[in-house]
Amino acid sequence: MEWNFFESENIQFYVKNILLSLLIIGVLALEIFLLLKLSRYIKKRINNSQLSDLKLKSINIIDANRKKMIINKIVDTITLVIIILDIYFSLILIIYVFPGTEDLVSKLIKYTSEPLENIGKAIVDFIPNFVAILVYFIVFRYVVKNIKILRDAIDNGSLSIPGFDSEWAKPTAKIIIFLSYIFLIVLIFPLLPGSDSAEFKGIAALVGILISITGGSSISNFLAGIVLTYMKPFRVGDKVMINAIVGVVVGKNPFAVKLVTAKNEEVTIPNNHIVTSTTVNYSSTGKTVLHTSISIGYDVKYSIVNELLLSASSKTNGILAEPKPFILQTSLEDFYIVYELNFFVNEVIQQPRIISELHANILDEFNKAEIEILSPHYRADRDGSDSTIAL
């Protein structure tokens, strides 16, 4: 490109172009000034306005102050983008007023027009997919709405399905809605822009690998939670024993169960441990039978032992008078009898205290009767007498 300032063009022509460039710069400065002033005005109105919190049902997603800050950031971003575009196109105009700059202007316009053209083409091409995604969303919302209506009808008893417990309504609805979300994602995924690109597929594969590696135990607990939902081994408030831990069920979620023990300890047990172990529910049958055992020699009459054990149980807080406690002679050993005292309680969570108090009362009763609680053993020395084994 050749610039023959004094030979090819007169000075007046260039002065005119310079003045025109200065005018463009002046207009640009005025636009930026007015735009910044408008931006400050908008942000002032936003800050002085009374905005409500953004909520999803009862969940507060964004409070009013946070919402104002986000809107202000959006206004600042839009203002910055407009200023950059103004400066860019003003630069093109300034360059264009001078002769011999047509190629440079064409390149600058091409740098802008090609991305915009690609974006426009991508938007036009995405319209059919967007319509399909919109239809999927509408159908999905309709399905979810009817699932919730059916769930509520079964839960409140207005609709009864033979063999289907009303307590299963809510967890079943959650499972179906969750699977519907997955199905919706599967349908929408191929319709998203760039879903066919290697990068997009690589990221999706990486996310899948990370989930499979890090979420194995969580998935196991989640599936175990589903099994427990339909097994119904206990409810919130039931007194249970899980993995030798006795407590009251205070919480259930898809991954774990929380118990509170008699010592006010909160114990969290993963669902997959519960499924693979034995669970005892003391609340499902009402009153619970507990027991304790002692062994007394044959020299003490069994009726006396029974009387003393029943007397000790009657003096123990927490043991019910009805149904009455009962005693079993569970074993006739070589030198002693094993007695098992069985009794009914309402508060099985108090088992350690009840058993401890019962043992204290048994000691007191047997001490008053001057009977030792022991398991006697006898030894016979071989002194040369005849063998007891028949020859």
Side-chain angles (χ1 to χ4, degrees):
M1 182 184 302
E2 297 182 0
W3 292 81
N4 299 320
F5 184 82
F6 293 99
E7 296 178 5
S8 61
E9 299 290 342
N10 56 40
I11 297 177
Q12 290 80 7
F13 177 78
Y14 281 98
V15 170
K16 177 183 176 182
N17 291 341
I18 292 172
L19 292 176
L20 184 59
S21 301
L22 292 175
L23 177 61
I24 294 172
I25 294 173
V27 173
L28 174 63
L30 179 62
E31 287 180 357
I32 293 174
F33 173 76
L34 294 175
L35 187 62
L36 292 175
K37 189 172 182 179
L38 177 62
S39 175
R40 287 193 295 269
Y41 173 76
I42 293 173
K43 291 195 290 184
K44 184 178 180 180
R45 290 293 300 270
I46 292 170
N47 293 330
N48 293 334
S49 62
Q50 297 294 329
L51 298 180
S52 60
D53 296 342
L54 179 61
K55 294 183 177 181
L56 180 61
K57 294 184 178 180
S58 60
I59 302 174
N60 190 2
I61 300 176
I62 303 176
D63 59 29
N65 293 330
R66 182 71 176 175
K67 187 191 290 187
K68 289 180 180 180
M69 186 178 70
I70 292 173
I71 296 174
N72 286 334
K73 291 291 185 182
I74 293 174
V75 172
D76 290 337
T77 302
I78 294 174
T79 302
L80 180 61
V81 171
I82 294 175
I83 289 175
I84 292 174
L85 291 176
D86 274 349
I87 294 174
Y88 182 76
F89 288 112
S90 297
L91 179 62
I92 292 176
L93 288 175
I94 292 172
I95 295 174
Y96 184 73
V97 300
F98 292 96
T101 60
E102 291 81 4
D103 292 340
L104 179 59
V105 171
S106 298
K107 289 181 180 180
L108 291 175
I109 294 175
K110 185 178 180 181
Y111 293 152
T112 308
S113 61
E114 284 189 354
L116 292 176
E117 183 181 351
N118 293 334
I119 292 173
K121 185 176 182 301
I123 292 174
V124 173
D125 293 340
F126 181 65
I127 289 176
N129 291 347
F130 177 76
V131 173
I133 292 173
L134 188 61
V135 171
Y136 290 151
F137 267 113
I138 294 173
V139 173
F140 172 76
R141 286 183 61 85
Y142 177 78
V143 170
V144 170
K145 182 178 179 181
N146 283 275
I147 290 173
K148 292 180 178 179
I149 293 173
L150 183 63
R151 174 202 65 190
D152 295 338
I154 296 175
D155 187 53
N156 59 31
S158 59
L159 176 63
S160 177
I161 300 177
F164 190 88
D165 198 307
S166 60
E167 292 184 0
W168 296 345
K170 289 183 178 180
T172 303
K174 289 181 180 179
I175 294 170
I176 295 175
I177 292 174
F178 175 74
L179 294 176
S180 300
Y181 272 115
I182 295 178
F183 183 66
L184 179 65
I185 293 172
V186 171
L187 290 176
I188 291 177
F189 185 82
L191 302 177
L192 296 176
S195 59
D196 294 332
S197 64
E199 293 81 2
F200 200 93
K201 293 178 180 179
I203 293 174
L206 178 62
V207 172
I209 292 172
L210 291 176
I211 291 175
S212 63
I213 293 175
T214 60
S217 60
S218 298
I219 294 173
S220 174
N221 285 319
F222 178 76
L223 295 176
I226 295 175
V227 173
L228 289 176
T229 298
Y230 295 98
M231 285 175 57
K232 296 196 306 180
F234 48 77
R235 303 176 182 178
V236 174
D238 284 356
K239 303 174 184 67
V240 299
M241 181 173 66
I242 303 173
N243 291 338
I245 300 174
V246 178
V248 178
V249 180
V250 295
K252 295 167 57 180
N253 60 53
F255 301 98
V257 171
K258 289 186 178 181
L259 304 180
V260 172
T261 67
K263 296 182 179 180
N264 205 31
E265 301 166 328
E266 185 176 277
V267 182
T268 302
I269 305 176
N271 285 336
N272 57 357
H273 290 183
I274 300 174
V275 171
T276 57
S277 64
T278 302
T279 300
V280 179
N281 191 335
Y282 297 108
S283 300
S284 60
T285 56
K287 300 178 179 64
T288 303
V289 180
L290 300 180
H291 70 274
T292 189
S293 298
I294 63 171
S295 57
I296 302 293
Y298 285 98
D299 55 327
V300 181
K301 195 173 182 178
Y302 75 90
S303 58
I304 297 176
V305 176
N306 288 358
E307 181 181 349
L308 294 175
L309 289 175
L310 292 176
S311 176
S313 66
S314 66
K315 297 178 181 179
T316 303
N317 294 324
I319 295 180
L320 300 178
E322 291 292 338
K324 294 181 179 180
F326 59 93
I327 298 170
L328 301 175
Q329 283 72 233
T330 59
S331 179
L332 299 177
E333 301 295 337
D334 290 340
F335 311 114
Y336 56 85
I337 303 172
V338 177
Y339 299 87
E340 182 183 270
L341 172 61
N342 297 269
F343 50 91
F344 293 84
V345 298
N346 281 331
E347 295 296 328
V348 70
I349 192 67
Q350 299 296 326
Q351 175 180 347
R353 180 197 60 78
I354 294 173
I355 295 293
S356 176
E357 185 177 339
L358 175 62
H359 287 168
N361 290 330
I362 290 175
L363 288 172
D364 290 341
E365 293 298 318
F366 276 78
N367 287 337
K368 290 178 183 177
E370 297 182 349
I371 298 175
E372 291 184 289
I373 301 176
L374 50 81
S375 303
H377 286 71
Y378 302 92
R379 185 178 65 184
D381 294 330
R382 301 301 294 166
D383 56 359
S385 59
D386 293 339
S387 172
T388 59
I389 301 175
L391 300 177

